[in-house]
Amino acid sequence: MRLSPNATGALMGLVSFALFAGHDALIKGLAGRYTAIQISFTIACFSFPLLIGMLATDRTVGTLLPVNRYWVILRGITGTFGAVTAFYAFKTLPFAEVYVLLFATPLLVTVLAVPLLGEKVGLRRALAVIAGLIGVLIVLRPGTSAFSIGHISALAAALCGAMSAIITRRIGRQERPAVFVIYVTMTNFTLMGLALPLVYVPMTGPDLATMALVALLAFTGMQFMIQSYRRAEAGVVAPMQYSQMIWAIFYGAMFFDETPDGITLLGAAIVSASGLYIVLREARLKTGAAAGGVVPQSNTSTCSETAKNPE
């Protein structure tokens, strides 16, 4: 039986986010021995050969000079710091708990799109954002000793992911995808390279091989994601991100002796439900606009713009 484009895209999305979850599990394992700065820099180094291969097969007409130089540089900075803060969060917090906080990214995009993009948020989406933020507060449990720098790092990663998504929505149609990927990697390499002498420790051969595998998983996951969005509607693919919670629970229990408690699962359910509502509603609005002859403002769902996946 031949699958429909939406079904094919959804399956490719599931594969993409499974690869990203494997990437994050390896990062969490490495984070016990190396700083987030060293991990991020080393992964960037292993990404260059993959990028060269991507460019060699890219038939898109154009140069690698950005049309919107400063916006692209800013996106590289937010992408870099989003990755580093997410890596630190994986080091200090349970796997599933980090994912719950990162799932706040589409909520933050909805909020930031008002002042930065001039978008309007209706009552229902505003209520969904409020519900999602309540879910985040349930996980954070303010006023308890459980709140830590790791939680702040995860929230910072979500904020950086939201800023990256906002920038993509603003200039995404004007830039080649390769430009975004290269500038994020170059910014990561430069900034983390400057900080590396302060934190560097010698790396073992097996750990270097693991770093290379992490870079390969990130690159392959991104290729699956690109293909999924080419085949299916954004509203079909984007919700597949929430399958990462299943992987987080599995990897946490299997390799890190972690089991999320009931409060974390409750917060996860609320954040996921609100994020899904925002993503699906946005997709419906774009479909209606396209049917009326209006070009949508962005070509990807904000839910797919996560800080922890180095592009």
Side-chain angles (χ1 to χ4, degrees):
M1 182 178 65
R2 188 173 182 177
L3 296 177
S4 67
N6 275 344
T8 302
L11 287 174
M12 297 186 80
L14 285 173
V15 172
S16 170
F17 289 116
L19 292 171
F20 287 141
H23 161 284
D24 295 337
L26 292 176
I27 290 291
K28 186 173 179 63
L30 290 166
R33 298 184 292 279
Y34 309 101
T35 64
I37 292 173
Q38 185 167 347
I39 292 172
S40 189
F41 175 82
T42 307
I43 293 172
C45 291
F46 281 117
S47 297
F48 282 117
L50 300 172
L51 294 179
I52 293 173
M54 181 189 72
L55 291 175
T57 58
D58 185 4
R59 298 181 180 180
T60 305
V61 177
T63 70
L64 295 178
L65 296 176
V67 177
N68 306 273
R69 181 187 308 172
Y70 296 110
W71 282 112
V72 171
I73 292 174
L74 179 59
R75 190 180 185 279
I77 293 173
T78 58
T80 296
F81 282 100
V84 172
T85 50
F87 293 169
Y88 182 81
F90 281 122
K91 177 179 181 178
T92 58
L93 295 179
F95 213 154
E97 199 164 318
V98 176
Y99 271 152
V100 175
L101 298 178
L102 293 179
F103 286 167
T105 298
L107 309 178
L108 295 175
V109 169
T110 301
V111 173
L112 293 174
V114 176
L116 298 181
L117 297 178
E119 295 184 2
K120 296 181 179 179
V121 177
L123 177 61
R124 283 180 287 183
R125 273 206 293 173
L127 292 175
V129 170
I130 294 173
L133 295 178
I134 291 174
V136 170
L137 289 175
I138 290 174
V139 175
L140 292 178
R141 307 171 209 190
T144 70
S145 59
F147 189 77
S148 68
I149 187 67
H151 295 93
I152 297 175
S153 296
L155 290 173
L159 179 60
C160 287
M163 285 300 302
S164 294
I166 290 290
I167 295 171
T168 301
R169 293 176 72 157
R170 187 181 182 94
I171 65 173
R173 290 187 178 275
Q174 303 171 37
E175 303 287 354
R176 293 176 62 185
V179 169
F180 284 128
V181 176
I182 289 173
Y183 274 78
V184 169
T185 306
M186 287 297 299
T187 304
N188 191 344
F189 178 83
T190 302
L191 296 180
M192 297 302 101
L194 291 173
L196 184 63
L198 302 176
V199 298
Y200 177 79
V201 296
M203 302 183 67
T204 65
D207 284 346
L208 281 171
T210 301
M211 295 278 195
L213 178 58
V214 168
L216 180 61
L217 287 174
F219 181 82
T220 306
M222 186 57 63
Q223 300 311 305
F224 270 96
M225 178 178 290
I226 291 171
Q227 292 303 319
S228 68
Y229 276 103
R230 286 177 177 172
R231 286 168 169 75
E233 300 168 7
V236 173
V237 178
M240 299 301 105
Q241 180 182 5
Y242 294 96
S243 66
Q244 287 184 304
M245 182 56 65
I246 299 174
W247 290 108
I249 294 173
F250 171 75
Y251 285 134
M254 183 66 65
F255 301 111
F256 305 108
D257 194 26
E258 298 174 353
T259 303
D261 58 22
I263 295 178
T264 299
L265 292 176
L266 174 61
I270 296 174
V271 173
S272 298
S274 61
L276 279 170
Y277 176 82
I278 290 172
V279 169
L280 294 175
R281 179 166 176 78
E282 181 176 325
R284 287 197 299 270
L285 291 174
K286 288 179 181 177
T287 300
V294 179
V295 178
Q297 293 184 359
S298 66
N299 57 354
T300 59
S301 168
T302 58
C303 193
S304 67
E305 288 285 332
T306 55
K308 64 179 183 304
N309 299 323
E311 299 182 343

